Amino acid sequence: GFNYRLSDVAAAIGVAQVEKLDRMLCDRARIAGLYGQAFEEVEGIELPVEGIGRSRRSWFVYPVRLDPGVDRDAVIAKLAAEGVPAKAYLPCIHLFPHLRRFGYEEGQFPVAESVSARSVALPFHTAMTEGDVARVAGALDRSLRA
């Protein structure tokens, strides 16, 4: 029942984006590397895995996991106060309201729920500079120590 055909304009935009894909992926990997270096001294977070084996991560988002007991919402608010947009990341799908009718309840998947409650998506885009990354890292470090 759905018509998912692209218009000519949408297809042309898609082709142009694909032509830039390798450069965009390299830029994102560079920013992820800068974040990794900037967070080496920051305590209270777990960094994302860069890749497993021969796999390569596409880096569409840069999520960090806060240590247990850290108030994620308070950290996000402190980052916002410093002008750093961050948001909660990785929701638990089984807790979505429309899936509750299948009998899912809080506590059924404790590992997933813990990871979800502690994950934060940081600003991440290909135009970020070393200074931008340093500013985010500094703000996160201060928000964890405050």
Side-chain angles (χ1 to χ4, degrees):
F2 295 100
N3 179 353
Y4 289 117
R5 290 177 282 193
L6 293 175
S7 68
D8 289 345
V9 172
I13 292 170
V15 168
Q17 288 297 96
V18 168
E19 289 171 354
K20 296 189 282 184
L21 182 60
D22 288 337
R23 184 184 43 141
M24 288 175 13
L25 292 176
C26 285
D27 288 346
R28 289 176 177 269
R30 181 182 63 79
I31 300 302
L34 290 173
Y35 264 137
Q37 291 172 358
F39 289 135
E40 284 178 351
E41 303 296 321
V42 176
E43 293 183 22
I45 61 171
E46 183 179 334
L47 302 181
V49 175
E50 291 196 27
I52 299 172
R54 289 188 241 159
S55 67
R56 182 175 72 159
R57 190 175 184 136
S58 67
W59 293 112
F60 69 95
V61 65
Y62 196 88
V64 295
R65 194 174 322 155
L66 305 176
D67 283 352
V70 175
D71 183 344
R72 178 187 64 188
D73 295 336
V75 168
I76 291 170
K78 290 173 188 173
L79 289 170
E82 289 201 43
V84 175
K87 62 181 181 176
Y89 185 66
L90 200 65
C92 277
I93 296 171
H94 71 284
L95 298 178
F96 284 6
H98 66 281
L99 295 178
R100 295 268 180 143
R101 66 186 171 112
F102 295 112
Y104 294 115
E105 298 175 358
E106 193 168 331
Q108 286 181 301
F109 302 98
V111 174
E113 292 168 25
S114 172
V115 169
S116 176
R118 297 183 293 119
S119 295
V120 176
L122 299 175
F124 191 75
H125 55 85
T126 58
M128 289 185 79
T129 65
E130 289 183 32
D132 295 332
V133 169
R135 191 169 84 74
V136 171
L140 181 58
D141 187 37
R142 287 187 294 279
S143 73
L144 292 168
R145 287 186 285 123

